Amino acid sequence: MDVLLLHPTPCQRSSLAIAEDMLDSANRVAALRGETAPFCWRTLHPEAVCPDTPAPGLVVLPGMGLASAEELRAAMDSPAFFALTAALRHFVQPGTRIASACSGVFALAAAGLLDGRCATTTWWLAPLLRGWFPKVRVEMGEVLCSDGALVTAGASFAQIDLMLHLIETQAGFALAEDCRRFLLADSRPSQLPYLSVAILVAGDPALQRAELHLRRHIARQVPLAELADAAGLGARTFARRLSRVAGMTPGEFAQTLRVTEAIRLYRAGGLSLEQIAHRVGYGDATALRRVMTRRTGRRLESFRS
């Protein structure tokens, strides 16, 4: 398959390197299996894309290394970003898949490619993606979203998950699985274990007060009215602000904090699953396991320090 690595400005070098290394590894593993190399790729800057540039079978846009709203706004106002979105629109052709990770997903959204589609990005940028591009169906907890010919992934190291997915869909499950083993790459079905509620609400003092109150009383169920009161807001105002700032409902807010705290306690060691369940406000280990599986796709026992 012909693959084009679209080199943005700015570019997260580690994300680009991962994409190159994964394609190279797929070809090497295929050779070890006695098979023909499945991928032929090249790197191209968006400014070099012209009307005559042929569309490959796959376009991969690495992350851009943008970690804040200020950095994203500055980059999105630049001529380089306009060239990038124009290049992406050029490659929207039958038979071409387009994939991106982390802050690169904002370029797909700005180009209009994600309107009405499911997409993800790094968890702390997901509320921005949802707020700036309301036509995109943002799945903050997902490591990877595939919707039609478009594939998006989370933070920079989710580039590994993205490339393994592309290897599987373009060259088969067997090769992708051997690449995973060759590279010692674990499967990560959810971003939730890596999420920090404190970081999501860091810019909002009212929500910070609610987060601190919930953390102090995490061993019991805290009603919405109590959380809103801790924030100094009415219940509806609290829910609206939480949705705008953190991209969560109050229920998701509380459950995410409980799940991430359970993972922290488990990794620290010294407590049984029953003790951890009671510490984070669940009746028993069975209830905690059920929530953990639903929210992360994994059992608590799978999280090792």
Side-chain angles (χ1 to χ4, degrees), residues 5 12 17 70 81 83 120 151 153 155 169 174 196 202 210 216 230 251:
L5 301 179
Q12 186 162 24
E70 293 73 23
F81 192 85
T120 190
V151 189
T169 54
S196 168
R216 287 173 173 168

Side-chain angles (χ1 to χ4, degrees), residues 61-290:
L61 172 63
M64 301 175 69
L66 306 171
S68 68
E70 293 73 23
E71 291 175 348
L72 280 164
R73 287 194 187 98
M76 291 170 68
D77 286 338
S78 70
F81 192 85
F82 298 146
L84 174 57
T85 54
L88 289 168
R89 285 190 287 266
H90 171 78
F91 290 123
V92 180
Q93 299 185 33
T96 297
R97 299 190 79 193
I98 300 176
S100 187
C102 200
S103 53
V105 176
F106 282 75
L108 271 63
L113 276 60
L114 297 178
D115 287 358
R117 294 184 180 271
C118 167
T120 190
T121 185
T122 184
W123 58 264
W124 69 87
L125 295 178
L128 287 178
L129 184 65
R130 181 182 285 113
W132 292 357
F133 301 100
K135 293 182 180 180
V136 181
R137 302 199 312 272
V138 180
E139 300 289 344
M140 181 170 67
E142 299 299 320
V143 168
L144 186 143
C145 283
S146 179
D147 192 332
L150 298 169
V151 189
T152 54
S156 56
F157 278 11
Q159 187 78 45
I160 296 173
D161 304 90
L162 176 63
M163 298 309 298
L164 283 169
H165 172 80
L166 296 173
I167 291 168
E168 178 179 339
T169 54
Q170 304 303 321
F173 173 80
L175 180 61
E177 187 64 18
D178 280 349
C179 285
R180 188 184 301 279
R181 294 172 179 172
F182 189 74
L183 298 168
L184 304 181
D186 292 329
S187 176
R188 293 172 293 181
S190 173
Q191 292 193 78
L192 188 61
Y194 310 96
L195 187 151
S196 168
V197 173
I199 289 177
L200 283 176
V201 302
D204 191 302
L207 296 183
Q208 283 181 302
R209 291 193 294 271
E211 190 266 345
L212 181 60
H213 182 82
L214 179 57
R215 193 175 293 278
R216 287 173 173 168
H217 300 279
I218 197 170
R220 64 175 175 85
Q221 296 301 310
V222 181
L224 169 60
E226 185 177 333
L227 277 179
D229 187 61
L233 302 170
R236 291 184 179 179
T237 301
F238 172 74
R240 286 196 297 268
R241 186 177 297 189
L242 187 62
S243 176
R244 175 174 56 82
V245 173
M248 296 179 178
T249 65
E252 291 169 338
F253 173 71
Q255 195 173 77
T256 299
L257 187 58
R258 296 182 195 284
V259 166
T260 53
E261 179 63 8
I263 293 170
R264 187 192 69 78
L265 290 171
Y266 179 74
R267 287 176 167 169
L271 295 175
S272 69
L273 294 186
E274 286 290 337
Q275 289 172 319
I276 292 173
H278 289 296
R279 288 277 187 97
V280 299
Y282 293 107
D284 52 36
T286 299
L288 175 58
R289 285 194 182 100
R290 186 165 52 247

